[in-house]
């Protein structure tokens, strides 16, 4: 299987991205990696890191920066790693594309070059994250900030298939993120979505409140991109604040430092639980191809896990199933 | 000063609400409490709790339930504690109203009976919360789920005044909650709001990302009600999950239990940091009166602190200042 990897995207690119590629090449047999980025930079980086593995380089001298306007940069920077990488997918020269770069540009280029699965109206970014009772999936976390009920309905359809095939759970539960459990709560478009989901999904459990996301009471959480992005990023920030606060509190006295030694394992497990790097990237569902968006702050392990997510999604061939389901 | 307290609102009403009233009566001199609720229930409750303090009872035999439709219940349940309490404010028989009941109904009844401050288009719920660097305020956390740039602009205006007067900080910084720091990010209405704030507030620091909320990098965070509600409730749920996870992890072995003993103080401080009960209720800004909305799960301490918040707001007379500022 061939994965095109955007070597220029992410806060720690290209170094950590290339190290992630190396880790993936060691772990996954039959993986062919296409490193997309500025060729001279990739070669320098490999030399300085003294690592060696099987890969090809696809030269992409331009870079879309994190602050660039998605629509403009995708049109103007045809030689960027994001556009080049997605073109590889379009031309069947790669089976999946993985990038930790500008999310908006990835969404935009994917929609423009690959198109959407027939019948799907908008792509959505799904994210698998840990809860107290196992993994949950939330869609959309930022692709679509002007959502209509039909978009959210289609997210539910795609989330269900993804959860079934990639996370191996039959009939995962579906919930709609809203400010209250009651059907009467929230803005008009969420109330309409709720009716649509109720009519069409027997496993729809109704509105789910933001405070219950981490309890694991719902497998697939459906929401608009603004809400989902805020939910995701607030928890990330909160986790960091908690971590910082607890550690600085505990270190205030000598007994605390001793106790911290004892508790190291627990803290480690806690950090692992809240560490996005463990869970790989976020699949962009609805586009006609396998696209994984990694976190901007991805380290090598996160890049490796994003590549793993692309392998799993490609193997399960969920896009075919989505195509069939939307037809009906 | 006279505070009307909704004794029927909240998950632990009337018991904890009445105990909160008692605590407030002990702590704040010159406080006159009007307990609004079903008179017989209040009397029973006081008898069983064996507490005694100065108060009057305003009989309100109806109750607006948490799941009731705000608009309908406010019109149909004229004898509910929420409607009766807000009428006391309207008739100048009380200086402030405090309730832990149905948030939508409180917003609706306040707007209907008290009206908005002249020139203000929509009320907003503000919430003061702890960060790593002190207190911040976020507005709106759920009153207005269909926000226009002008509404958000007016939230900024009110937040600034509240922060200056009630939290005693000159020139608090203002930020707009959005999915990215760059001005180009987010939906149209947030981009327009950003321009408006930039033009009118010298202390506007631009977009603030959800992950930075708890870092305390911004005093007043402006957002739409859906986003704010999600930010707030997600962190609440996350805090609970963290708490639960850490404690259950640590208790897994004997050394962990010993270490937990040592760390008890730190955990306690952490819990206090994330305990909404410490920070009192949320002021409903923009309505022509002092309204404090308490958390649905308020215990006696939270009720007492919500009453304290109403006293502070009334004393500072910020509504007059808002009225003046909006005129210009």
């Amino acid at each position: 299987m061939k994965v095109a990897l955007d070597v220029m995207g992410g806060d720690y690119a290209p170094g950590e991205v290339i190290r992630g590629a190396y880790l993936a090449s060691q772990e996954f047999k039959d993986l062919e990696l296409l490193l997309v980025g500025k060729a001279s930079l990739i070669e320098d980086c490999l030399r300085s890191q003294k690592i060696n593995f099987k890969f090809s380089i696809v030269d992409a001298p331009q870079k879309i920066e994190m602050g660039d306007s998605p629509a403009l940069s995708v049109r103007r920077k045809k030689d960027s790693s994001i556009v080049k990488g997605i073109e590889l997918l379009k031309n069947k020269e790669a089976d999946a594309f993985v990038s930790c770069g500008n999310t908006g540009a990835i969404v935009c280029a994917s929609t423009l070059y690959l198109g959407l699965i027939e019948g799907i109206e908008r792509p959505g970014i799904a994210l698998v994250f840990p809860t107290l009772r196992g993994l949950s999936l939330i869609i959309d976390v930022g692709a679509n900030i002007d959502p209509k009920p039909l978009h959210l309905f289609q997210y539910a359809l795609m989330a269900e298939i993804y959860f079934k095939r990639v996370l191996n759970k039959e009939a995962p539960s579906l919930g709609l993120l809203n400010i209250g459990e009651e059907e009467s709560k929230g803005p008009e478009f969420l109330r309409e979505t709720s009716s649509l989901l109720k009519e069409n999904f027997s496993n729809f459990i109704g509105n789910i409140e933001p405070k219950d996301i981490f309890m694991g009471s719902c497998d697939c959480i459906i929401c608009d991109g603004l809400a989902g992005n805020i939910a995701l990023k607030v928890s990330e920030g909160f986790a960091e604040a908690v971590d910082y606060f607890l550690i600085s509190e505990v270190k205030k006295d000598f007994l605390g430092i001793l106790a911290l030694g004892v508790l190291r394992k627990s803290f480690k497990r806690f950090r692992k639980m809240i560490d996005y790097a463990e869970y790989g990237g976020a699949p962009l569902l609805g586009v006609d191809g396998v696209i994984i968006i990694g976190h901007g702050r991805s380290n090598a392990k996160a890049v490796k896990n994003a590549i793993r997510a692309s392998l799993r999604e490609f193997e399960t061939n969920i896009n075919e199933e989505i195509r069939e389901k939307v037809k009906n």
Side-chain angles (χ1 to χ4, degrees), chain A residues 4-5 7 21 24 33 74 87 96 119 133 148 155 157 174 182 224 227 250 261 263 274 294 300 308 315 321:
Chain A
L5 178 66
V7 169
L33 278 163
V74 164
E87 273 182 341
R133 284 196 223 162
K148 304 280 173 286
Y155 291 158
L157 184 149
L174 294 173
E182 304 81 10
D224 68 281
V250 164
L263 296 183
I274 61 172
R308 185 182 59 195
E315 282 160 8
E321 198 169 335

Side-chain angles (χ1 to χ4, degrees), chain A residues 8-210:
Chain A
M8 314 297 282
D11 297 352
Y12 308 122
E16 284 291 302
V17 181
I18 290 178
R19 265 179 36 77
Y22 168 73
L23 294 178
S25 74
Q26 304 302 299
E27 193 169 325
F28 310 117
K29 305 292 155 209
D30 309 319
L31 168 64
E32 271 189 71
L33 278 163
L34 305 167
L35 305 185
V36 191
K38 197 171 174 178
S40 59
L41 201 68
I42 297 173
E43 281 152 7
D44 286 355
C45 184
L46 285 163
R47 251 193 307 277
S48 72
Q49 292 203 18
K50 291 180 185 134
I51 47 178
N52 202 3
F53 59 103
K54 223 186 86 192
F55 61 84
S56 328
I57 290 180
V58 177
D59 191 31
Q62 284 178 313
K63 191 185 169 187
I64 294 179
E65 304 290 342
M66 285 302 197
D68 282 355
S69 151
L72 284 181
S73 59
V74 164
R75 279 181 178 79
R76 286 188 192 155
K77 296 183 175 175
K78 301 273 185 205
D79 282 332
S80 62
S81 50
I82 289 176
V83 174
K84 283 267 190 177
I86 288 169
E87 273 182 341
L88 290 171
L89 218 62
K90 189 191 168 192
N91 302 332
K92 313 274 184 218
E93 292 167 62
D95 301 312
F97 176 64
V98 174
S99 173
C100 307
N102 183 318
T103 300
I106 301 168
V107 174
C108 199
S110 303
T111 312
L112 206 64
Y113 290 98
L114 301 175
L116 300 177
I117 295 173
E118 211 187 320
I120 292 289
E121 300 248 330
R122 289 291 163 87
I125 302 170
L127 189 90
V128 176
F129 67 98
T131 74
L132 290 180
R133 284 196 223 162
L135 298 174
S136 288
L137 178 151
I138 182 167
I139 180 171
D140 165 51
V141 297
N144 179 4
I145 49 177
D146 185 24
K148 304 280 173 286
L150 180 62
H151 306 160
L152 297 181
F153 167 74
Q154 293 187 334
Y155 291 158
L157 184 149
M158 297 192 288
E160 191 185 33
I161 292 173
Y162 188 92
F163 213 93
K164 268 204 296 209
R165 294 291 162 254
V166 181
L167 299 171
N168 293 313
K169 183 176 180 180
E170 277 305 313
S173 57
L174 294 173
L176 181 65
L177 189 65
N178 201 338
I179 58 175
E181 277 181 10
E182 304 81 10
E183 274 181 53
S184 62
K185 287 282 174 84
E188 181 65 22
F189 81 94
L190 285 182
R191 295 201 301 270
E192 276 177 39
T193 305
S194 181
S195 307
L196 260 179
L197 294 178
K198 210 171 159 184
E199 278 164 35
N200 289 282
F201 293 93
S202 58
N203 42 347
F204 176 58
I205 59 171
N207 287 343
I208 163 161
E209 290 192 62

